[in-house]
Amino acid sequence: MIKITNLHKQYGELKVLKGIDLEVPKGEVLSVIGSSGSGKSTLLYCINGLEPIQKGQIIVDDIDVHASDTNLNSVRQNMGMVFQQWNSFPHLTVLENVALAPKIVSKHSKSEALEIAEKQLRHVGLGDKLSQYPSALSGGQQQRLAIARALAMEPKCMLFDEATSALDPELVGEVLDTIRLLADEGMTMICVTHEMGFAREVSDRVAFFHEGKIEEINQAEKLFGSPKSKYLQKFLSKVKT
Ligand code: ADP
Ligand code: MG
């Protein structure tokens, strides 16, 4: 589904990704953990073509994302991305916010777009908020709105970048529950997260990033249970697991 080979990425002189090799098969949930600045977000931006790369290859669903003749819009339609915070359109209702992309990007009719939007909002547990405005939603509900919006494009995989880190602690659970639901449904996902409990429970595998490289990657239980790298051991001793 996603195959990354010898990926190198730098911003100017700053080398951020220094040779990433990674394969995520269809249906796998991979969590990415690691210190701030280790290149986790940059990896996601490279996967969905938001950032150019200097070397290597990223194949998503048989498409070479960074080939010069690749249509990035069609690549991105297959990948849903959820960031720390997403600014919804305040003057549109929750339903209209989610219906926007199916209408404009996927060229569905207005009624089809609204139908898709309603389906995905129910999917993430916001079926009772359709006609509300985003400002009436809690932070957790706004993140679920962002997830519904990504799902409305009917993506083949989802990329999450610390989707819960801007939330008050009591709102984290509902968003993680939604991501867990997608995992159970078999969605292919890469989740950058600092929720170690979630990573351990939901992921098939976990990759630990250190200074632009995958320092260690393993099944979640093994990576947390018997970390080999001394950097990973140190990282885990500092974060709550
Ligand atoms: P992480 O998500 O693991 O915290 P990032 O991928 O955001 O790490 O950043 C990795 C490194 O790249 C950091 O040193 C950061 O300052 C730098 N960086 C990120 N984005 C840019 C950018 N647009 N221009 C220059 N440097 C950047
Ligand atoms: Mg980041």
Side-chain angles (χ1 to χ4, degrees):
M1 176 85 215
I2 300 173
K3 183 165 194 248
I4 300 172
T5 316
N6 194 29
L7 169 62
H8 288 256
K9 161 74 187 169
Q10 54 193 76
Y11 294 108
E13 294 295 297
L14 181 69
K15 294 193 164 102
V16 175
L17 299 176
K18 306 170 188 167
I20 302 287
D21 292 295
L22 179 64
E23 247 181 280
V24 182
K26 191 170 185 298
E28 180 170 80
V29 180
L30 176 83
S31 284
V32 176
I33 62 172
S35 304
S36 177
S38 57
K40 307 179 299 295
S41 295
T42 300
L43 174 72
L44 297 189
Y45 301 153
C46 292
I47 293 175
N48 103 347
L50 283 168
E51 278 290 342
I53 66 175
Q54 277 70 44
K55 200 171 156 189
Q57 196 179 44
I58 301 175
I59 306 283
V60 178
D61 203 28
D62 295 329
I63 296 172
D64 182 343
V65 176
H66 294 269
S68 55
D69 58 350
T70 295
N71 178 348
L72 279 179
N73 288 329
S74 59
V75 169
R76 288 188 197 130
Q77 278 181 47
N78 286 329
M79 279 186 263
M81 180 132 182
V82 178
F83 300 92
Q84 229 179 73
Q85 262 176 325
W86 171 62
N87 294 320
S88 46
F89 296 98
H91 59 291
L92 298 180
T93 64
V94 164
L95 183 66
E96 289 163 346
N97 263 284
V98 179
L100 208 55
K103 197 167 74 190
I104 294 171
V105 184
S106 310
K107 313 277 187 233
H108 285 288
S109 69
K110 187 174 179 197
S111 64
E112 282 168 351
L114 290 170
E115 204 175 298
I116 293 166
E118 181 171 343
K119 182 177 126 194
Q120 293 304 341
L121 283 161
R122 292 196 187 289
H123 193 183
V124 303
L126 292 178
D128 58 342
K129 304 286 179 196
L130 305 181
S131 55
Q132 302 265 353
Y133 285 88
S135 57
L137 302 184
S138 71
Q141 290 168 338
Q142 296 204 14
Q143 278 306 70
R144 288 191 279 144
L145 169 59
I147 295 171
R149 177 176 167 268
L151 292 173
M153 296 300 294
E154 294 165 330
K156 296 193 173 131
C157 60
M158 292 281 287
L159 310 175
F160 289 90
D161 192 1
E162 302 200 347
T164 61
S165 59
L167 297 176
D168 291 334
E170 72 273 20
L171 301 177
V172 168
E174 62 187 78
V175 177
L176 294 183
D177 284 346
T178 305
I179 301 175
R180 189 179 288 120
L181 172 73
L182 301 182
D184 290 343
E185 291 169 356
M187 178 65 84
T188 309
M189 302 201 274
I190 301 182
C191 305
V192 171
T193 183
H194 54 225
E195 298 286 340
M196 296 303 142
F198 170 82
R200 186 169 190 156
E201 178 207 342
V202 176
S203 322
D204 298 302
R205 286 188 304 160
V206 178
F208 169 65
F209 263 57
H210 180 71
E211 295 181 355
K213 288 187 179 157
I214 296 180
E215 170 79 8
E216 190 162 334
I217 181 166
N218 212 334
Q219 290 162 351
E221 215 38 60
K222 288 184 182 154
L223 184 123
F224 288 110
S226 50
K228 294 182 188 70
S229 152
K230 66 175 192 297
Y231 298 114
L232 174 57
Q233 289 167 4
K234 196 168 161 210
F235 176 79
L236 291 177
S237 73
K238 282 191 287 190
V239 296
K240 212 170 60 177
T241 52

